[in-house]
Amino acid sequence: MRAVGVIGAGQMGAGIAQVSASAGYHVYLSDIDLARAETGKAGIAKALGKLVEKEKITQPDAEALLARIEPVGSYAPMADAALIIEAATEREEIKRKIFEAVGTILGADAVLASNTSSIPITRLAQASSDPARFIGVHFFNPVPVMGLIEIIRGLATSDATVDLVRRYGEALGKQLVFANDAPGFIVNRVLMPMINEACFALGEGVASIRDIDTACRLGLNHPMGPLTLADFIGLDTCLEITNVLFTSTGDPKFRPAPLLQKYVEAGWYGRKVKRGFYDYNGEEPVPTR
Ligand code: 3HC
């Protein structure tokens, strides 16, 4: 396996491109146009620059890694990739369009994977050219730091597809876990109810934003409190996943907290727009209520 295609050059896609190139793969990186793919590569160059400063990698290694990342303006060059990973916006219609377009260039034995955080793999596979060669490969943010990949098998996914993805994940040095195609898979099934409950607690006046976060950070030994983590992931993404859990199971324990919905309606999506449960415009994050 020489080459990997990555579709989506945002935070997740760029991270996946970086770790794939770091494992020695040639990476074709695409987005809705070449300029965005190039911006994604520029972000990786910046992240590598910091690693060089910290002497985590050498300058020549950083340059060699970057040289393996090729921004592309169409899917055509990915025809020789053994694995194509989609990490586009978490909207089903966008992903479906991508899978239909990729189907026209996907190599005969190549595998198509989605980094979806919660959309059912079996359903997404229907938009691919061959559901046997379709699989979920779920990375965690920040991709270069987080040690896990969840692998999700759809109903039609073949053993050969699972094997190829297993070899890829091992080459990246990540720990792999295997989940069935159930809502939220493993991590989001457990994480989103915690974030949602923190939003209920805040909405009900149980404690302040800072105290909820401090309590979970120090009381549970989590690196970030749940409201800080929600800002980090994106409140829109958290709401989207919680809605998937709620609507696909019908279980009221997953109903989204009204306060989470309100923040999303306000456009306060978290760090990416500099405002969520905290305001990120100053030097230090300041709670917004
Ligand atoms: N890229 C590369 N490296 C990064 C990074 C990034 N974006 N962000 C931080 N790092 C590195 C730093 O360089 C530092 O490395 P060093 O120890 O070698 O110097 C190390 O990570 C620690 O970073 P910091 O000292 O800046 O800060 P923290 O100690 O607070 O760590 C964190 C930052 C790694 C983000 C940590 O707070 C953390 O693990 N938070 C929880 C993240 C998490 O839970 N992610 C999963 C979200 S759920 C998800 O992604 C699924 C999706 O479907 C929703």
Side-chain angles (χ1 to χ4, degrees):
M1 177 164 156
R2 182 193 78 92
V4 171
V6 179
I7 299 173
Q11 206 171 19
M12 295 303 287
I16 296 167
Q18 181 182 324
V19 295
S20 301
S22 173
Y25 297 110
H26 184 87
V27 179
Y28 301 106
L29 179 62
S30 83
D31 205 298
I32 52 177
D33 54 32
L34 181 60
R36 285 191 203 216
E38 279 168 347
T39 304
K41 181 170 176 177
I44 298 168
K46 205 170 154 194
L48 292 175
K50 283 189 193 152
L51 293 179
V52 171
E53 264 172 38
K54 287 189 195 169
E55 297 182 348
K56 295 269 161 124
I57 56 170
T58 64
Q59 181 68 31
D61 282 351
E63 281 166 16
L65 189 160
L66 266 184
R68 285 194 287 275
I69 301 177
E70 181 183 343
V72 290
S74 75
Y75 301 142
M78 297 187 187
D80 76 337
L83 172 65
I84 298 182
I85 303 172
E86 169 277 321
T89 309
E90 190 70 357
R91 294 242 308 275
E92 191 163 340
E93 68 277 17
I94 293 177
K95 292 184 188 286
R96 283 179 165 274
K97 277 194 187 131
I98 290 172
F99 300 145
E100 280 158 19
V102 168
T104 61
I105 59 90
L106 191 69
D109 298 320
V111 165
L112 179 57
S114 176
N115 179 54
T116 180
S117 47
S118 60
I119 303 173
I121 297 304
T122 304
R123 197 162 80 210
L124 285 178
Q126 290 312 302
S128 75
S129 52
D130 181 2
R133 290 184 284 132
F134 190 88
I135 194 162
V137 175
H138 186 211
F139 287 83
F140 296 84
N141 187 20
V143 176
V145 180
M146 303 296 283
L148 184 72
I149 302 177
E150 274 181 330
I151 295 178
I152 307 101
R153 201 180 173 133
L155 204 57
T157 308
S158 70
D159 290 344
T161 297
V162 175
D163 273 354
L164 183 134
V165 164
R166 185 200 309 261
R167 275 184 275 121
Y168 164 75
E170 285 171 357
L172 265 49
K174 303 282 189 197
Q175 176 75 48
L176 310 180
V177 289
F178 296 83
N180 287 321
D181 188 18
F185 318 132
I186 305 171
V187 172
N188 282 328
R189 169 78 176 257
V190 175
L191 171 64
M192 289 305 156
M194 183 187 74
I195 287 177
N196 198 39
E197 197 57 35
C199 298
F200 271 116
L202 179 64
E204 289 167 19
V206 172
S208 67
I209 290 177
R210 267 202 211 287
D211 281 357
I212 290 172
D213 273 347
T214 303
C216 294
R217 204 163 43 78
L218 301 181
L220 299 171
N221 222 3
H222 288 184
M224 288 174 161
L227 300 171
T228 301
L229 182 56
D231 277 358
F232 182 68
I233 293 168
L235 303 193
D236 50 341
T237 304
C238 292
L239 180 60
E240 187 88 29
I241 299 171
T242 305
N243 270 324
V244 167
L245 288 168
F246 181 44
T247 53
S248 55
T249 62
D251 192 329
K253 75 180 176 190
F254 294 122
R255 73 203 181 287
L259 192 66
L260 177 59
Q261 300 187 50
K262 201 172 279 183
Y263 269 64
V264 171
E265 281 162 8
W268 295 6
Y269 297 151
R271 271 202 210 188
K272 59 187 166 191
V273 297
K274 293 191 180 281
R275 183 183 277 257
F277 289 113
Y278 295 85
D279 186 317
Y280 298 91
N281 285 294
E283 277 196 4
E284 290 291 321
V286 180
T288 48
R289 48 187 285 141

